[in-house]
Amino acid sequence: MRPLLRITDYGLTMSSTLQEQTKFGFPAKQGLYDPAFEKDSCGVGFVAHIKGKASHQIVVDAEIMLQRMEHRGGCGCEPTTGDGAGILTGMPDVFCRKVAKQDLAVDLPAAGYYAAGNVFLPTDETQRQTCITEVEKIINEQGQKCLGWREVPIDTEAADIGPTARRSQPVILQLYIEAVGVSGKNFERQLYVIRKRCTHLLRNNSSLSQSKAFYICSLSPSIIIYKGMLNALQVKTFYLDLQDTDYASHIAMVHSRFSTNTFPSWDRAQPNRYMSHNGEINTLLGNRNWMTARQGMVRCDDFDCSIESLFPIAEIDCSDSGNFDNVLEFLLMSGRSLPEAVMLMVPEAWQSDENMDQAKKDFYRFNSAMMEPWDGPASVAFTDGRCIGAVLDRNGLRPSRYYLTNDDRVIMASEVGVVDVDPADVKFKGRLQPGKMFLIDFDKGELITDEILKKDFSTKHPYGEWLANQEIKLSELGCDKEPHGFEPKTIIPRMQAFGYTVETMQFMLLPLVRELRDPVGSMGNDAALACLSDKPRMLYDYF
């Protein structure tokens, strides 16, 4: 059998079989590879004007930032095929009106009443038309109006896109949708339903050999994303839209991807729809399993469709960042604000913090019953166009530094020196600490600190009172029967029969009982595999 992976003089490469499977999307689970373990580790940052003033210079500064984080991204044996890079900006209204008039002969409605998004589509013309037809059908079913599809101008030659990236490059069109009978959050919710329905229908369509080529980068009235299987130097040259001086934005978030033990592709490049991420989500399997378990109890009256049509919330063929974004978006569309949703997913280490304000501790304790931590190490930048911010998970192992300038710019990145700033122009500079976050509110035109932000949310509701009235503790549950299983006279023979050792007792069980903590170690386990050991082992060790 031809191996899926083989060693060459240049390192580890894929066989032609695996290359074909990974042309669009993940390969199937096989050998030692499992798509469930896809992770990212990258460079991330943003530039924004805190008063919400849009300009092309913001986009230029972000492009410089991205290029200076080239070393943060990865590439294969071809230096011109990157693991992924991209930019998220606010909706460039003046630019969109110009190109919609030129390319589609369409006059766009007022800002906020139309949405635009870049869509990756199959290269096969028949399959591409099938996707377009189904998308337009779902838009109509949701009561909205499709204004047209614009071909996104690109320059593959000038950007010097590598052979592997070219081979998997999709057709890129820009979709415009007009709001009908809805506005604001309700319009965004309709767009969310449209995208989720289209994604579930088309990316899982077995009749389309290029189904994984279909991907909606973003679909929003407030932000738009340009990204792909590019390196940091190629994004601006590849996407000609970004070079247009009419392309103005008050925010620009960039990301350079290093795909840790994963396959790069056009759709897995970041930014995602609401966030960019530097690091890894190492609790991903548990996070995904819990989200799947919750789907049986999810209720939300804000959606005018069957909520089951939005499942799975955490999509199967996403990286750790993609799944984080899926859940963040669902919380946002279900009624929470963006910073509150981030606080739920990336909490501080609150359990044993004696100095933490009780109201904040009550907030975290109450919400821990609904959402477990998405633990890194991870630095996450997030935005919905109305605000932008960043958070560092409680491990605190990813640098996130930010500057506030006298000309009302905020610059945040996973390292310093990515944008030239005269020290005399710096009003304030800081770095995120474990579990902390900051937010730029464009409506208020100010930077909101972690302390103020979390005080507002933790005092919004009487969480302490809710806990006192609703929380059920095991110690409060009466038991009218004799506790089962503890027989002192036979416990030692039974533990021996089940393979418990003195080490198990001292290092595993006693810390759980006496200190109420999980035993943690960092030296690894050098014991022989159970199937190769000549010692008696517990049954569970074999699985």
Side-chain angles (χ1 to χ4, degrees), residues 82-108:
D83 279 3
I87 182 170
L88 176 155
T89 71
M91 188 62 68
D93 185 59
V94 173
F95 170 81
C96 287
R97 292 184 184 282
K98 181 178 75 172
V99 296
K101 186 69 172 179
Q102 289 175 354
D103 301 345
L104 304 176
V106 168
D107 291 317
L108 294 178

Side-chain angles (χ1 to χ4, degrees), residues 89 97 112 157 167 246 266 273 280 289 361 373 391 417 488:
T89 71
R97 292 184 184 282
E157 298 301 325
R167 188 168 55 247
D246 287 331
W266 285 79
R273 290 149 191 135
E280 297 179 349
N289 287 343
K361 188 172 287 191
V391 63

Side-chain angles (χ1 to χ4, degrees), residues 135-397:
V135 169
E136 292 179 351
K137 178 182 176 183
I138 291 174
I139 291 172
N140 290 332
E141 289 176 355
Q142 292 301 134
Q144 308 307 300
K145 181 180 179 182
C146 178
L147 296 175
W149 300 78
R150 168 183 174 255
E151 184 175 349
V152 177
I154 59 175
D155 193 334
T156 304
E157 298 301 325
D160 191 22
I161 306 302
T164 301
R166 290 192 191 207
R167 188 168 55 247
S168 59
Q169 180 180 326
V171 172
I172 307 172
L173 300 182
Q174 196 166 79
L175 171 63
Y176 284 87
I177 299 176
E178 181 178 353
V180 178
V182 290
S183 61
K185 197 75 172 183
N186 289 328
F187 182 37
E188 293 181 23
R189 200 169 283 117
Q190 286 291 344
L191 296 169
Y192 173 67
V193 172
I194 289 169
R195 184 177 57 76
K196 292 290 279 190
R197 288 185 60 192
C198 293
T199 297
H200 295 330
L201 175 67
L202 296 171
R203 281 182 67 87
N204 301 314
N205 193 328
S206 58
S207 65
L208 299 175
S209 61
Q210 295 184 3
S211 62
K212 298 301 182 183
F214 175 81
Y215 179 82
I216 302 176
C217 297
S218 62
L219 194 57
S220 167
S222 55
I223 63 99
I224 192 167
I225 295 170
Y226 288 79
K227 67 177 185 177
M229 193 171 163
L230 310 165
N231 63 39
L233 300 176
Q234 294 171 332
V235 175
K236 177 182 177 181
T237 312
F238 182 76
Y239 286 112
L240 301 183
D241 285 354
L242 299 174
Q243 302 174 30
D244 194 311
T245 55
D246 287 331
Y247 194 113
S249 174
H250 62 299
I251 57 169
M253 178 192 293
V254 296
H255 189 274
S256 178
R257 183 173 189 252
F258 191 104
S259 52
T260 314
N261 300 321
T262 67
F263 291 96
S265 72
W266 285 79
D267 59 300
R268 285 192 287 275
Q270 295 187 45
N272 291 303
R273 290 149 191 135
Y274 285 92
M275 51 78 73
S276 291
H277 166 223
N278 170 31
E280 297 179 349
I281 302 297
N282 285 318
T283 55
L284 179 62
L285 183 59
N287 296 136
R288 282 183 51 182
N289 287 343
W290 272 115
M291 288 310 300
T292 302
R294 292 187 182 103
Q295 287 176 179
M297 301 181 65
V298 169
R299 300 288 182 274
C300 183
D301 296 332
D302 290 332
F303 295 103
D304 63 355
C305 65
S306 168
I307 200 165
E308 286 76 14
S309 67
L310 306 177
F311 298 159
I313 297 169
E315 296 167 9
I316 298 171
D317 54 355
C318 280
S319 66
D320 54 344
S321 306
N323 275 302
F324 184 102
D325 186 72
N326 285 161
V327 176
L328 179 64
E329 183 178 32
F330 183 76
L331 292 174
L332 191 60
M333 293 301 153
S334 301
R336 295 185 186 273
S337 69
L338 183 58
E340 183 182 12
V342 171
M343 287 174 63
L344 261 65
M345 297 182 69
V346 192
E348 296 178 65
W350 57 270
Q351 290 91 335
S352 302
D353 190 343
E354 297 178 354
N355 297 317
M356 182 178 288
D357 180 76
Q358 188 60 44
K360 192 201 294 189
K361 188 172 287 191
D362 290 340
F363 169 87
Y364 282 128
R365 186 179 185 88
F366 180 85
N367 285 294
S368 68
M370 292 181 283
M371 179 66 64
E372 67 291 331
W374 289 64
D375 257 351
S379 172
V380 178
F382 55 89
T383 184
D384 60 0
R386 289 176 287 275
C387 65
I388 193 167
V391 63
L392 194 62
D393 81 312
R394 56 188 180 173
N395 296 288
L397 298 175

Side-chain angles (χ1 to χ4, degrees), residues 416-443:
V416 296
V418 290
V419 176
D420 293 329
V421 179
D422 187 335
D425 290 336
V426 176
K427 181 187 297 185
F428 174 80
K429 62 181 178 180
R431 66 177 180 88
L432 285 175
Q433 297 178 345
K436 305 299 184 182
M437 65 192 297
F438 76 92
L439 187 78
I440 304 297
D441 188 318
F442 298 120
D443 291 332

Side-chain angles (χ1 to χ4, degrees), residues 8 10-13 75-81:
T8 71
Y10 304 100
L12 197 64
T13 62
C75 65
C77 295
E78 310 158 4
T80 52
T81 293

